[in-house]
Amino acid sequence: MTLIDVLKQIEAQSDYVFFYNNADIDTKKKISINMKDANIKDVLDKILNEYSYRINNKKIIITVRTNKISGVVSDDSGQPIIGGNVLVKGLNKGTMTNIDGKYTIDVPDSATTLVISYIGYTTQEIPVNNQKILNINLKEDTKVLDEVVVVGYGTMKKRDLSGAVSQIKGDDLMRGNPADLSQGLAGKIAGVVVNQSDGAPGGGISIQIRGTNSFSTDSQPLY
């Protein structure tokens, strides 16, 4: 069964409770284990060999072992790509490039691939291979630029569009089992920043579109 199902089985058969971040754990990883009346540490060493954990009374906190990777994302002409997506494949974990095209990301030891994408460019999957510095050059996607986009004032080809267009698939939106649509968007679209005002259920959500780079005082979206 999956790792998450195994953790639930342990909780059901003991007094232990697990705490972890869905974005750091490979929830679909399959595990085969057969242990009876075993010490909890022996069980955890076997099923969490890719992660770190600590036991505090009956609470078990799982964290991920990470490697820090940095680099620059640029286009064919060597110009930095601002706001490009850098994601860890298979995990809800990612970052964006800054104004110089630079990025830094903590990559779990279990991860093997980074996915780099930006509107109008061909998405690339780069093997990690224990590297600390990864500079990526994205190629223009001429097919995407010729697509027709419906905007509020008509239709036009993407190459002629002055604004940015982003899209997210339903499966990607639901990755990590978000509580609502706002949480599902967090960290998955370039330039979209989702903040929760407090940690209480139903707490206010703030969505900013390119808010840190906006020239206006109000960067709240209309949706």
Side-chain angles (χ1 to χ4, degrees):
M1 58 179 62
T2 65
L3 171 60
I4 298 303
D5 288 334
V6 173
L7 298 183
K8 290 179 180 178
Q9 286 286 336
I10 295 175
E11 288 181 331
Q13 298 178 33
S14 70
D15 296 329
Y16 290 99
V17 179
F18 290 96
F19 294 87
Y20 52 86
N21 187 337
N22 279 335
D24 293 335
I25 303 298
D26 184 1
T27 57
K28 297 181 180 180
K29 178 185 177 181
K30 293 298 182 67
I31 286 181
S32 179
I33 182 173
N34 182 12
M35 302 181 77
K36 182 178 178 65
D37 297 328
N39 179 282
I40 185 65
K41 190 176 185 305
D42 294 335
V43 176
L44 296 179
D45 286 344
K46 186 168 184 177
I47 66 174
L48 298 176
N49 56 345
E50 296 179 2
Y51 305 97
S52 298
Y53 70 87
R54 69 179 187 274
I55 302 176
N56 184 3
N57 294 325
K58 293 297 181 178
K59 299 177 182 177
I60 301 174
I61 299 93
I62 303 174
T63 56
V64 63
R65 301 191 189 111
T66 62
N67 295 314
K68 191 178 293 294
I69 296 178
S70 59
V72 176
V73 180
S74 58
D75 61 15
D76 284 332
S77 64
Q79 294 298 312
I81 289 180
I82 304 171
N85 279 322
V86 181
L87 302 174
V88 180
K89 186 175 183 179
L91 296 177
N92 181 24
K93 188 179 185 65
T95 187
M96 291 190 301
T97 57
N98 63 14
I99 194 171
D100 297 315
K102 296 179 180 179
Y103 72 92
T104 300
I105 186 170
D106 289 324
V107 179
D109 283 352
S110 58
T112 59
T113 308
L114 290 184
V115 180
I116 296 87
S117 62
Y118 190 68
I119 297 300
Y121 291 82
T122 302
T123 298
Q124 288 195 31
E125 295 191 3
I126 309 296
V128 175
N129 295 332
N130 296 319
Q131 299 180 78
K132 300 297 183 183
I133 298 177
L134 279 175
N135 297 322
I136 299 100
N137 178 255
L138 293 182
K139 307 292 184 182
E140 278 194 5
D141 190 340
T142 55
K143 181 179 178 180
V144 170
L145 291 174
D146 284 333
E147 289 181 359
V148 174
V149 179
V150 178
V151 295
Y153 41 86
T155 61
M156 60 178 63
K157 289 188 176 181
K158 279 190 177 179
R159 67 168 66 251
D160 301 323
L161 187 65
S162 59
V165 178
S166 298
Q167 65 179 13
I168 182 171
K169 295 181 179 180
D171 291 343
D172 295 329
L173 186 69
M174 295 306 297
R175 188 176 297 162
N177 299 319
D180 55 36
L181 176 63
S182 301
Q183 291 184 12
L185 291 172
K188 296 176 183 174
I189 302 180
V192 177
V193 180
V194 179
N195 292 309
Q196 187 166 358
S197 58
D198 57 63
I205 296 283
S206 168
I207 302 178
Q208 290 183 311
I209 296 180
R210 294 192 170 180
T212 56
N213 298 319
S214 176
F215 287 107
S216 66
T217 55
D218 185 6
S219 57
Q220 292 296 324
L222 175 66
Y223 59 86

